[in-house]
Amino acid sequence: MEEILDNKNWFEAWFDTPYYHLLYKNRNAKEASFFINNLIDYLSPPENAFLLDACCGKGRHALYMNQLGFSVDAFDLSANNIKHAKQYENNKLYFFENDIRQPLNQQKYNIVFNLFTSFGYFDNEEDNIQSIKALSDSLKQEGVLVIDFLNAQKAIETMVSKEEKKVDDLTFKIKRKVKDGFIVKQISFEDNGRKFSFEEKVKALYQKDFINYFNLARLKLIKVAGDYQLNDFDIHLSDRLILFAKK
Ligand SMILES: C[S@@+](CC[C@H](N)C(=O)[O-])C[C@H]1O[C@@H](n2cnc3c(N)ncnc32)[C@H](O)[C@@H]1O
Protein backbone atom coordinates (compact mmCIF):
# COMPACT_ATOMS: atom_id res chain seq x y z
CA MET A 1 0.00 0.00 0.00
CA GLU A 2 1.23 3.46 -0.89
CA GLU A 3 0.95 6.09 1.80
CA ILE A 4 1.04 9.76 0.86
CA LEU A 5 1.59 11.05 4.33
CA ASP A 6 5.21 12.25 4.18
CA ASN A 7 5.19 12.41 7.99
CA LYS A 8 2.16 14.67 7.89
CA ASN A 9 -0.80 14.27 10.21
CA TRP A 10 -3.65 12.41 8.46
CA PHE A 11 -5.79 15.57 8.32
CA GLU A 12 -3.01 17.57 6.62
CA ALA A 13 -2.62 14.94 3.90
CA TRP A 14 -6.11 13.58 3.18
CA PHE A 15 -8.11 16.83 2.89
CA ASP A 16 -5.46 18.30 0.58
CA THR A 17 -6.04 15.58 -2.04
CA PRO A 18 -8.67 15.58 -4.81
CA TYR A 19 -9.78 12.15 -3.53
CA TYR A 20 -11.39 13.58 -0.37
CA HIS A 21 -13.52 15.85 -2.56
CA LEU A 22 -14.44 12.94 -4.84
CA LEU A 23 -15.49 10.63 -1.99
CA TYR A 24 -17.60 13.38 -0.39
CA LYS A 25 -18.89 14.88 -3.61
CA ASN A 26 -22.48 14.73 -2.31
CA ARG A 27 -21.46 17.27 0.37
CA ASN A 28 -22.04 20.02 -2.17
CA ALA A 29 -23.17 23.62 -2.63
CA LYS A 30 -26.85 22.59 -2.49
CA GLU A 31 -26.43 21.01 0.95
CA ALA A 32 -24.41 24.04 2.08
CA SER A 33 -27.01 26.61 0.99
CA PHE A 34 -29.84 24.62 2.61
CA PHE A 35 -27.97 24.48 5.93
CA ILE A 36 -26.81 28.12 5.83
CA ASN A 37 -30.35 29.35 5.06
CA ASN A 38 -31.60 27.54 8.17
CA LEU A 39 -28.70 28.77 10.32
CA ILE A 40 -29.14 32.39 9.20
CA ASP A 41 -32.93 32.18 9.78
CA TYR A 42 -32.33 30.97 13.32
CA LEU A 43 -29.41 33.29 14.19
CA SER A 44 -30.76 36.35 12.31
CA PRO A 45 -27.49 38.30 12.28
CA PRO A 46 -27.62 42.00 11.37
CA GLU A 47 -27.04 42.83 7.69
CA ASN A 48 -23.59 44.20 8.47
CA ALA A 49 -22.54 41.08 10.43
CA PHE A 50 -19.03 39.73 9.93
CA LEU A 51 -18.90 35.95 9.68
CA LEU A 52 -16.02 33.46 9.94
CA ASP A 53 -15.99 29.93 8.46
CA ALA A 54 -13.28 28.00 10.33
CA CYS A 55 -12.04 24.94 8.39
CA CYS A 56 -13.94 26.04 5.29
CA GLY A 57 -12.67 23.40 2.85
CA LYS A 58 -13.13 24.73 -0.69
CA GLY A 59 -15.50 27.37 0.67
CA ARG A 60 -18.99 26.09 -0.17
CA HIS A 61 -20.62 27.56 2.99
CA ALA A 62 -18.58 30.79 3.00
CA LEU A 63 -19.40 31.45 -0.64
CA TYR A 64 -23.13 31.12 0.00
CA MET A 65 -23.02 33.33 3.14
CA ASN A 66 -21.32 35.96 0.97
CA GLN A 67 -23.99 35.54 -1.72
CA LEU A 68 -26.55 36.37 0.98
CA GLY A 69 -24.74 39.69 1.39
CA PHE A 70 -22.59 39.09 4.47
CA SER A 71 -18.91 39.90 4.91
CA VAL A 72 -17.15 36.58 5.29
CA ASP A 73 -13.63 35.46 6.20
CA ALA A 74 -12.81 31.77 5.87
CA PHE A 75 -9.75 29.69 6.60
CA ASP A 76 -8.51 26.15 6.14
CA LEU A 77 -5.28 24.25 6.75
CA SER A 78 -5.22 22.81 3.24
CA ALA A 79 -3.27 24.93 0.77
CA ASN A 80 -5.06 23.32 -2.19
CA ASN A 81 -8.50 24.07 -0.71
CA ILE A 82 -7.62 27.72 -0.15
CA LYS A 83 -6.06 28.02 -3.59
CA HIS A 84 -9.34 26.75 -5.07
CA ALA A 85 -11.52 28.97 -2.85
CA LYS A 86 -9.57 32.13 -3.66
CA GLN A 87 -11.16 32.25 -7.13
CA TYR A 88 -14.43 33.29 -5.42
CA GLU A 89 -12.93 36.18 -3.43
CA ASN A 90 -14.41 39.68 -3.59
CA ASN A 91 -14.33 42.76 -1.35
CA LYS A 92 -16.59 40.96 1.19
CA LEU A 93 -15.14 37.44 0.93
CA TYR A 94 -11.59 36.51 1.92
CA PHE A 95 -9.94 33.07 2.20
CA PHE A 96 -6.67 32.33 3.96
CA GLU A 97 -4.60 29.42 5.29
CA ASN A 98 -4.67 28.92 9.05
CA ASP A 99 -4.61 26.19 11.66
CA ILE A 100 -7.74 26.09 13.84
CA ARG A 101 -5.51 26.17 16.96
CA GLN A 102 -4.03 29.49 15.91
CA PRO A 103 -5.91 32.56 17.25
CA LEU A 104 -6.68 35.33 14.75
CA ASN A 105 -5.63 38.58 16.26
CA GLN A 106 -7.19 41.36 14.26
CA GLN A 107 -10.83 40.74 13.40
CA LYS A 108 -13.75 39.83 15.67
CA TYR A 109 -16.82 38.14 14.22
CA ASN A 110 -20.57 38.03 14.99
CA ILE A 111 -20.73 34.31 14.16
CA VAL A 112 -17.99 31.72 13.84
CA PHE A 113 -18.92 28.51 11.99
CA ASN A 114 -17.12 25.17 12.10
CA LEU A 115 -19.10 22.94 9.77
CA PHE A 116 -19.28 19.33 8.62
CA THR A 117 -17.17 17.51 11.21
CA SER A 118 -14.17 19.81 11.03
CA PHE A 119 -13.24 19.13 14.64
CA GLY A 120 -11.90 16.32 16.84
CA TYR A 121 -8.91 15.41 14.67
CA PHE A 122 -6.18 15.89 17.26
CA ASP A 123 -4.77 13.11 19.46
CA ASN A 124 -4.17 15.57 22.24
CA GLU A 125 -7.08 17.05 24.25
CA GLU A 126 -5.08 20.25 24.76
CA ASP A 127 -5.30 20.88 21.01
CA ASN A 128 -9.10 20.59 21.08
CA ILE A 129 -9.31 23.02 23.99
CA GLN A 130 -6.88 25.41 22.31
CA SER A 131 -8.99 25.29 19.12
CA ILE A 132 -12.22 26.21 20.94
CA LYS A 133 -10.42 28.97 22.84
CA ALA A 134 -9.03 30.37 19.57
CA LEU A 135 -12.50 30.31 17.97
CA SER A 136 -13.99 31.96 21.06
CA ASP A 137 -11.28 34.66 20.94
CA SER A 138 -12.41 35.49 17.40
CA LEU A 139 -15.99 36.18 18.54
CA LYS A 140 -17.41 39.58 19.42
CA GLN A 141 -19.07 39.76 22.83
CA GLU A 142 -22.55 38.10 22.47
CA GLY A 143 -21.27 36.41 19.30
CA VAL A 144 -22.18 32.79 18.57
CA LEU A 145 -20.01 29.77 17.73
CA VAL A 146 -21.75 27.07 15.66
CA ILE A 147 -20.15 23.62 15.59
CA ASP A 148 -21.62 21.01 13.25
CA PHE A 149 -20.21 17.69 14.46
CA LEU A 150 -21.23 14.07 13.88
CA ASN A 151 -23.51 12.37 16.38
CA ALA A 152 -20.92 9.97 17.79
CA GLN A 153 -23.53 7.83 19.56
CA LYS A 154 -25.48 7.12 16.35
CA ALA A 155 -22.33 6.85 14.24
CA ILE A 156 -21.07 4.09 16.55
CA GLU A 157 -24.45 2.35 16.99
CA THR A 158 -25.04 2.15 13.23
CA MET A 159 -21.44 1.71 12.10
CA VAL A 160 -20.96 -0.33 8.90
CA SER A 161 -17.56 -1.98 9.34
CA LYS A 162 -16.86 -2.69 5.66
CA GLU A 163 -18.19 -1.01 2.54
CA GLU A 164 -17.32 -0.33 -1.11
CA LYS A 165 -18.33 2.96 -2.64
CA LYS A 166 -18.01 3.66 -6.35
CA VAL A 167 -17.74 7.34 -7.19
CA ASP A 168 -17.17 8.20 -10.85
CA ASP A 169 -14.30 5.93 -11.97
CA LEU A 170 -12.95 5.09 -8.51
CA THR A 171 -13.98 2.37 -6.09
CA PHE A 172 -13.25 3.31 -2.49
CA LYS A 173 -12.85 0.40 -0.06
CA ILE A 174 -13.87 1.66 3.34
CA LYS A 175 -13.35 0.05 6.73
CA ARG A 176 -14.66 1.56 9.95
CA LYS A 177 -13.91 0.88 13.60
CA VAL A 178 -13.78 2.51 17.01
CA LYS A 179 -10.31 2.58 18.51
CA ASP A 180 -9.12 4.34 21.66
CA GLY A 181 -12.13 6.66 21.66
CA PHE A 182 -11.75 7.61 17.98
CA ILE A 183 -14.03 6.76 15.05
CA VAL A 184 -11.57 5.51 12.46
CA LYS A 185 -12.29 5.18 8.75
CA GLN A 186 -9.68 3.50 6.54
CA ILE A 187 -10.04 4.38 2.89
CA SER A 188 -8.15 2.53 0.17
CA PHE A 189 -8.44 2.67 -3.60
CA GLU A 190 -6.50 2.36 -6.82
CA ASP A 191 -6.12 5.16 -9.35
CA ASN A 192 -4.28 4.66 -12.65
CA GLY A 193 -2.53 1.59 -11.28
CA ARG A 194 -1.35 3.39 -8.12
CA LYS A 195 -2.55 2.19 -4.74
CA PHE A 196 -3.58 4.72 -2.12
CA SER A 197 -4.53 4.40 1.51
CA PHE A 198 -5.79 7.11 3.83
CA GLU A 199 -7.29 7.24 7.29
CA GLU A 200 -9.82 9.55 8.90
CA LYS A 201 -9.70 9.63 12.67
CA VAL A 202 -12.30 11.68 14.51
CA LYS A 203 -12.60 11.70 18.28
CA ALA A 204 -15.94 10.36 19.53
CA LEU A 205 -16.97 13.60 21.22
CA TYR A 206 -20.37 14.01 22.88
CA GLN A 207 -22.43 17.00 23.96
CA LYS A 208 -20.89 16.85 27.46
CA ASP A 209 -17.37 17.08 25.99
CA PHE A 210 -18.28 20.22 24.04
CA ILE A 211 -19.92 21.72 27.15
CA ASN A 212 -16.58 21.22 28.95
CA TYR A 213 -14.70 22.93 26.11
CA PHE A 214 -17.23 25.78 26.08
CA ASN A 215 -16.85 26.29 29.85
CA LEU A 216 -13.09 26.53 29.44
CA ALA A 217 -13.51 29.08 26.64
CA ARG A 218 -16.17 31.12 28.49
CA LEU A 219 -18.92 30.16 26.08
CA LYS A 220 -22.46 29.11 26.99
CA LEU A 221 -24.41 26.42 25.16
CA ILE A 222 -27.68 27.97 23.92
CA LYS A 223 -29.09 25.38 21.48
CA VAL A 224 -28.50 21.88 20.19
CA ALA A 225 -29.90 20.65 16.86
CA GLY A 226 -29.72 17.24 15.21
CA ASP A 227 -29.84 17.90 11.47
CA TYR A 228 -29.45 20.58 8.81
CA GLN A 229 -33.11 21.57 9.20
CA LEU A 230 -32.24 22.34 12.84
CA ASN A 231 -34.71 19.83 14.26
CA ASP A 232 -34.16 18.92 17.92
CA PHE A 233 -31.23 16.62 18.70
CA ASP A 234 -32.01 12.97 19.49
CA ILE A 235 -28.98 10.96 20.61
CA HIS A 236 -30.15 7.74 18.88
CA LEU A 237 -31.77 9.21 15.76
CA SER A 238 -29.96 12.40 14.79
CA ASP A 239 -27.19 12.28 12.20
CA ARG A 240 -25.60 15.49 13.39
CA LEU A 241 -24.73 17.15 16.70
CA ILE A 242 -25.03 20.88 15.98
CA LEU A 243 -24.07 23.08 18.91
CA PHE A 244 -24.66 26.81 19.33
CA ALA A 245 -22.58 28.52 22.02
CA LYS A 246 -22.74 32.19 22.95
CA LYS A 247 -19.93 34.39 24.23
C1 LIG B 1 -14.60 17.42 6.62
S1 LIG B 1 -13.81 18.78 5.89
C2 LIG B 1 -15.07 20.00 5.88
C3 LIG B 1 -14.76 21.19 5.03
C4 LIG B 1 -15.87 22.25 4.94
N1 LIG B 1 -16.24 22.78 6.23
C5 LIG B 1 -17.07 21.69 4.22
O1 LIG B 1 -18.11 21.51 4.85
O2 LIG B 1 -16.97 21.43 3.02
C6 LIG B 1 -12.70 19.29 7.15
C7 LIG B 1 -11.82 20.48 6.80
O3 LIG B 1 -11.03 20.84 7.93
C8 LIG B 1 -9.74 21.23 7.48
N2 LIG B 1 -8.81 21.08 8.60
C9 LIG B 1 -8.36 19.93 9.14
N3 LIG B 1 -7.54 20.17 10.15
C10 LIG B 1 -7.47 21.52 10.28
C11 LIG B 1 -6.76 22.39 11.15
N4 LIG B 1 -5.96 21.91 12.10
N5 LIG B 1 -6.92 23.72 10.99
C12 LIG B 1 -7.71 24.22 10.01
N6 LIG B 1 -8.40 23.44 9.14
C13 LIG B 1 -8.28 22.11 9.28
C14 LIG B 1 -9.46 20.31 6.33
O4 LIG B 1 -8.43 20.76 5.49
C15 LIG B 1 -10.83 20.20 5.66
O5 LIG B 1 -10.98 21.14 4.64
Side-chain angles (χ1 to χ4, degrees):
M1 273 292 156
E2 186 167 339
E3 293 273 349
I4 319 195
L5 284 174
D6 294 336
N7 292 326
K8 287 181 178 171
N9 286 306
W10 73 265
F11 52 84
E12 292 172 86
W14 169 231
F15 294 120
D16 208 38
T17 70
Y19 301 115
Y20 161 77
H21 296 281
L22 184 65
L23 179 59
Y24 290 94
K25 112 186 214 193
N26 59 328
R27 303 302 194 160
N28 53 21
K30 192 174 164 207
E31 182 192 69
S33 55
F34 177 79
F35 189 25
I36 293 301
N37 279 336
N38 292 328
L39 289 172
I40 295 296
D41 269 1
Y42 170 69
L43 293 161
S44 55
E47 264 177 37
N48 65 351
F50 210 158
L51 313 180
L52 174 69
D53 186 359
C55 308
C56 62
K58 284 184 171 175
R60 62 189 177 126
H61 298 99
L63 179 61
Y64 185 67
M65 293 175 211
N66 174 252
Q67 284 167 355
L68 293 178
F70 295 106
S71 292
V72 185
D73 283 351
F75 72 76
D76 199 276
L77 189 67
S78 152
N80 283 331
N81 282 348
I82 293 301
K83 196 172 156 200
H84 175 95
K86 275 196 168 287
Q87 69 183 296
Y88 307 121
E89 281 188 344
N90 58 46
N91 62 351
K92 289 175 90 178
L93 178 61
Y94 174 63
F95 291 97
F96 58 103
E97 282 178 46
N98 185 51
D99 188 302
I100 191 174
R101 291 165 285 191
Q102 202 60 42
L104 310 174
N105 287 324
Q106 303 110 338
Q107 192 61 51
K108 303 284 179 202
Y109 301 91
N110 299 71
I111 310 172
V112 172
F113 298 92
N114 175 259
L115 305 178
F116 186 40
T117 326
S118 300
F119 198 83
Y121 299 159
F122 303 117
D123 288 330
N124 187 339
E125 262 303 273
E126 276 309 309
D127 287 323
N128 289 335
I129 294 166
Q130 195 176 323
S131 303
I132 298 283
K133 282 187 174 167
L135 297 180
S136 174
D137 277 353
S138 294
L139 280 172
K140 291 179 183 172
Q141 206 53 44
E142 306 274 298
V144 176
L145 169 64
V146 180
I147 297 189
D148 161 33
F149 196 67
L150 51 79
N151 175 4
Q153 179 88 18
K154 184 176 173 193
I156 292 170
E157 279 172 2
T158 61
M159 183 172 280
V160 176
S161 60
K162 240 177 165 183
E163 184 189 5
E164 279 198 8
K165 199 169 164 189
K166 193 171 180 326
V167 189
D168 297 348
D169 292 337
L170 290 194
T171 302
F172 294 94
K173 291 183 179 160
I174 298 171
K175 286 185 187 168
R176 296 184 184 82
K177 64 183 176 190
V178 182
K179 194 176 172 217
D180 302 330
F182 283 80
I183 297 171
V184 181
K185 190 165 165 181
Q186 285 161 325
I187 303 153
S188 48
F189 55 92
E190 226 177 288
D191 186 21
N192 277 323
R194 292 180 70 193
K195 288 182 172 172
F196 294 91
S197 174
F198 290 97
E199 190 173 80
E200 288 178 8
K201 204 175 134 214
V202 177
K203 190 156 189 184
L205 294 169
Y206 299 84
Q207 188 169 322
K208 64 172 176 30
D209 300 306
F210 284 100
I211 290 173
N212 284 338
Y213 299 149
F214 294 155
N215 286 339
L216 293 169
R218 278 180 279 147
L219 295 168
K220 191 173 180 295
L221 185 69
I222 54 166
K223 177 182 171 72
V224 185
D227 60 31
Y228 291 163
Q229 259 183 303
L230 305 189
N231 289 309
D232 287 346
F233 176 72
D234 180 303
I235 193 153
H236 298 292
L237 300 177
S238 298
D239 286 324
R240 309 300 300 166
L241 172 67
I242 303 166
L243 305 120
F244 298 74
K246 194 166 191 167
K247 187 157 171 178

